[in-house]
Amino acid sequence: MKAFTFERVKTNLQAAAAVARQPGAKFIAGGTNLLDLMKLEIETPSHLVDVNALGLDKVEATAEGGLRIGALVRNTDLATDQRVRRDYAVLARALLSGASGQLRNKATTAGNLLQRTRCAYFYDTAQACNKRTPGSGCSAIGGVTRLHAVIGHSSACIATHPSDMAVAMRVLDASVETVRPDGQSRTIPIADFHRLPGNTPHIDTVLERDELVTAVTLPKPPGGVHVYRKVRDRASYAFALISVAAVVQRDGSGRVALGGVAHKPWRVEASEAAMPGGSKELTAQLLAGAEPTHANAYKVPLVERTLASVLLQARS
């Protein structure tokens, strides 16, 4: 691990200013992903700004009837919050399907959104990776691609986004609140928060370097039946081959988002008109333009079959 300096801050503006002041600085909260990457020298921050004392660890009702989730709310606390379990069950189920109990106790809401890909080539510093070292190439292309993206990828990167929580946030139309060192704040729809790789796969989100995530806001509950289905190689502590987050209404309409298929949580709102007609047409529209490799072509029929099971469960 590279040597680094460390400071604790007490306000949001202090945190943002501390990162802005020092090139190579990063925020740290739970550290469940960042510390692993630092040990491998994939991330090499020169300075860490500890944000755990900022008081962003509460889940509060909003005037609009939704919930405002502080950036530092731990995954375990969010998954077990009674309001989340009752009104946003797809989110609770997504959180509980991720990582392990120990990691969920430390991992934060903002950190979960910002975690980096688990592509094996990204983690292997002997391999070329545009996400790790821009312009070096992508060893995954032409390599072992069983776990990689089937849609939304580019000639520079075919990695997938690893988060379960982000897929549920996407189906719930969440928004991400942030603040800059000058006090400017903004609210970013979750649909716009994560980026597709294009020619700059090392840039995962639309955040500026010194922009601090302060909260994630959920609109009022969507009602319906909530299902999160994660298909993986083993029953726990594994990332999704594919996952489905769905909110299904009594008339068969609803919303659906996919994980494990793209560089970001994948949702195509226009496809949701096909939900009452069943999984085949829905999958065709969700994955229109998909370009799987020979090794991960199984993901397309796997999405269709998982959607069929999810829709059957919701309607019954």
Side-chain angles (χ1 to χ4, degrees), residues 147-215:
L147 303 180
H148 287 75
V150 298
I151 196 166
H153 48 74
S154 72
S155 60
C157 182
I158 60 172
T160 58
H161 193 274
S163 174
D164 292 292
M165 185 194 80
V167 182
M169 292 289 195
R170 179 69 181 90
V171 88
L172 291 170
D173 287 326
S175 297
V176 181
E177 298 178 6
T178 70
V179 67
R180 297 284 304 278
D182 59 4
Q184 280 193 320
S185 61
R186 63 170 171 160
T187 300
I188 307 165
I190 192 74
D192 302 326
F193 185 75
H194 297 102
R195 300 174 71 255
L196 292 178
N199 295 320
T200 54
H202 59 291
I203 306 174
D204 290 325
T205 72
V206 298
L207 293 178
E208 300 292 335
R209 190 183 70 84
D210 58 2
E211 193 169 8
L212 175 70
V213 175
T214 56

Side-chain angles (χ1 to χ4, degrees), residues 265-278:
W266 192 256
R267 183 179 174 197
V268 180
E269 281 88 337
S271 72
E272 291 165 0
M275 284 184 70

Side-chain angles (χ1 to χ4, degrees), residues 255-270:
R255 313 172 185 177
V256 64
L258 304 178
V261 299
H263 199 258
K264 61 186 287 186
W266 192 256
R267 183 179 174 197
V268 180
E269 281 88 337

Side-chain angles (χ1 to χ4, degrees), residues 102-308:
Q102 294 93 332
L103 287 173
R104 292 194 295 270
N105 289 343
K106 290 291 292 181
T108 62
T109 298
N112 192 303
L113 289 177
L114 296 172
Q115 65 181 302
R116 307 208 68 190
T117 184
R118 274 15 183 232
C119 172
Y121 296 95
F122 172 74
Y123 272 79
D124 184 351
T125 55
Q127 302 288 337
C129 174
N130 289 316
K131 183 175 279 293
R132 190 181 63 246
T133 308
S136 63
C138 177
S139 293
I141 297 176
V144 179
T145 59
R146 177 174 175 267
L147 303 180
H148 287 75
V150 298
I151 196 166
H153 48 74
S154 72
S155 60
C157 182
I158 60 172
T160 58
H161 193 274
S163 174
D164 292 292
M165 185 194 80
V167 182
M169 292 289 195
R170 179 69 181 90
V171 88
L172 291 170
D173 287 326
S175 297
V176 181
E177 298 178 6
T178 70
V179 67
R180 297 284 304 278
D182 59 4
Q184 280 193 320
S185 61
R186 63 170 171 160
T187 300
I188 307 165
I190 192 74
D192 302 326
F193 185 75
H194 297 102
R195 300 174 71 255
L196 292 178
N199 295 320
T200 54
H202 59 291
I203 306 174
D204 290 325
T205 72
V206 298
L207 293 178
E208 300 292 335
R209 190 183 70 84
D210 58 2
E211 193 169 8
L212 175 70
V213 175
T214 56
V216 176
T217 302
L218 300 177
K220 65 180 183 180
V225 177
H226 293 215
V227 181
Y228 188 77
R229 184 72 57 82
K230 181 176 182 178
V231 183
R232 45 189 164 176
D233 283 330
R234 57 182 184 270
S236 66
Y237 205 60
F239 295 97
L241 300 174
I242 67 102
S243 63
V244 173
V247 176
V248 184
Q249 304 299 332
R250 185 178 295 274
D251 63 1
S253 65
R255 313 172 185 177
V256 64
L258 304 178
V261 299
H263 199 258
K264 61 186 287 186
W266 192 256
R267 183 179 174 197
V268 180
E269 281 88 337
S271 72
E272 291 165 0
M275 284 184 70
S279 63
K280 186 172 184 178
E281 179 59 26
L282 178 57
T283 302
Q285 294 191 33
L286 266 173
L287 297 182
E291 296 181 344
T293 66
H294 174 74
N296 67 15
Y298 73 92
K299 288 193 176 188
V300 176
L302 184 58
V303 165
E304 182 182 338
R305 292 167 188 164
T306 306
L307 277 170

